[in-house]
Amino acid sequence: MMGVVTPTGAWSTDLTRLCERLAERLAADGARYPVDAAVALAVRGRAGVDRRSFADDLGLDPDELGRMERGEVPFERFPPAIRLRAQAEPRLDLGRLGVDPNP
Amino acid sequence: MSPTPDPDRLSELMVRMAAGDGAAVFTLVDEYGGTLAGVVRRHLVAWGRTDLLRNEREVDHLVQTAALVLFDRAAAWRPGGAPPWVWAAAAIRHALAREIGHPTVELDPERHDRAERRLSAAGGHDLDLDLLARRHPGVARFRAVLHEVSSARDRAVVEAYLLQQALGSPSPATIVAAETGLSPANVRQIVCRARRRVRQRVGIGGGSMTGTEGWLGA
């Protein structure tokens, strides 16, 4: 279900659509992998934390995470921790985004 | 009703968006989407587009549109003032109208371009009290006095109320109440109290508030 307030008061949006809209902007800015970058941003956005905290939590290099979020890294080269979170997000349809969840 | 916005959390997200952090847009929609949906629904009702109100997918799309407007304008927002969706009310209204193809006024392209250039030169604001205060000493004086006589929360409520009034909202108190988590009666009480204190401070009746100042303090 999308576009509704959940019992916890949060808004349940169509994450895939928001990814597409952010990807259009990233593409316009010249990102090489705009959709992949939008997925990385969605995963961190769902966690609700800044890049450094998220990288610390997952044991990642914040600079490398930054490269993913700027569209410099394709999804298949994302660390498993991010790929798995993306795949586990029920409101994120990787197939609709043209991202291969099992490279 | 949406939960009362946590000003610290909201400021953090706006600061991150101002720095170009696209992840914060997802978080903003997650945490404040209900409030943005209230803004969207009020516009749809005002425009008579109740057909769209029943379409969850359409409302969600417009909520995302409002969030993207805030993303684009986050750098100009200042913590401690009106909530972002009140501060950027005109820009959000414009973006929503564009998305649903709502005819607002007859568009004169040349006039529109001139207005856009003026807004852009002024920092991209639609209706911004900072900008007004720089241009109109009366507004600056009113804000300075308001700062002396009221708390940060009350100032934000009063400024949001005045912005809604200036935007022609038929019920500023109701809109500000929905966006701040207060009741409309509470909003009116805060505005009345602040106006009374401003009048007392500047000695209205002695004719010291004129022009814009008088309008704001009336």
Side-chain angles (χ1 to χ4, degrees):
Chain A
M1 195 185 319
M2 74 188 64
V4 295
V5 178
T6 68
T8 60
W11 181 256
S12 178
T13 198
D14 180 347
L15 283 181
T16 310
R17 180 71 191 115
L18 190 49
C19 271
E20 288 170 340
R21 297 177 80 173
L22 266 233
E24 285 168 17
R25 290 165 168 242
L26 290 161
D29 290 342
R32 189 168 175 199
Y33 303 104
V35 174
D36 312 56
V39 169
L41 290 168
V43 167
R44 181 163 65 80
R46 288 287 292 132
V49 294
D50 64 25
R51 186 181 296 155
R52 182 163 292 282
S53 304
F54 192 60
D56 285 348
D57 289 347
L58 298 184
L60 303 174
D61 174 2
D63 293 335
E64 179 62 12
L65 182 58
R67 282 191 284 279
M68 293 174 227
E69 294 179 351
R70 286 193 298 273
E72 297 170 14
V73 182
F75 184 78
E76 62 264 25
R77 283 182 32 215
F78 283 10
I82 295 186
R83 275 195 280 129
L84 288 172
R85 277 176 175 245
Q87 290 167 19
E89 176 54 61
R91 284 184 284 127
L92 196 52
D93 186 342
L94 296 179
R96 199 171 110 200
L97 290 171
V99 172
D100 183 358
N102 299 301
Chain B
M1 186 176 200
S2 301
T4 304
D6 171 353
D8 293 338
R9 176 62 166 166
L10 191 55
S11 293
E12 180 204 331
L13 292 176
M14 291 299 285
V15 166
R16 281 170 46 197
M17 289 198 292
D21 183 354
V25 181
F26 290 89
T27 313
L28 181 81
V29 174
D30 261 358
E31 298 181 11
Y32 295 95
T35 301
L36 294 178
V39 173
V40 166
R41 289 193 178 107
R42 276 190 293 282
H43 283 305
L44 292 178
V45 169
W47 291 331
R49 295 300 306 269
T50 49
D51 55 320
L52 297 179
L53 278 177
R54 292 185 292 273
N55 185 334
E56 282 182 5
R57 182 178 291 271
E58 191 69 44
V59 172
D60 182 47
H61 179 81
L62 295 174
V63 165
Q64 292 183 1
T65 299
L68 290 170
V69 167
L70 297 181
F71 183 34
D72 290 337
R73 292 167 175 262
W77 182 75
R78 294 290 172 265
W85 41 86
V86 175
W87 165 79
I92 290 173
R93 182 181 187 278
H94 179 73
L96 299 181
R98 195 175 54 227
E99 284 284 341
I100 67 169
H102 181 75
T104 48
V105 289
E106 282 294 322
L107 181 65
D108 173 349
E110 279 187 27
R111 191 175 168 190
H112 177 75
D113 288 348
R114 281 197 303 274
E116 285 281 301
R117 282 196 294 275
R118 276 201 308 274
L119 283 172
S120 178
H125 302 198
D126 290 72
L127 184 51
D128 179 350
L129 284 178
D130 290 335
L131 182 63
L132 281 176
R134 283 198 296 276
R135 291 183 176 176
H136 301 285
V139 177
R141 175 129 190 262
F142 171 79
R143 294 185 87 195
V145 175
L146 184 64
H147 192 273
E148 290 170 17
V149 300
S150 56
S151 67
R153 185 204 67 166
D154 286 3
R155 281 199 302 278
V157 169
V158 171
E159 293 191 347
Y161 182 94
L162 293 173
L163 279 172
Q164 286 299 326
Q165 232 179 13
L167 289 166
S169 166
S171 182
T174 305
I175 291 174
V176 175
E179 289 161 1
T180 55
L182 298 167
S183 70
N186 201 201
V187 169
R188 288 188 201 98
Q189 197 176 29
I190 289 169
V191 172
C192 284
R193 187 173 59 221
R195 282 176 160 164
R196 188 174 61 244
R197 287 178 178 168
V198 168
R199 281 198 296 270
Q200 286 169 348
R201 178 61 61 100
V202 299
I204 242 193
S208 61
M209 284 185 83
T210 56
T212 307
E213 244 176 305
W215 170 69
L216 289 169

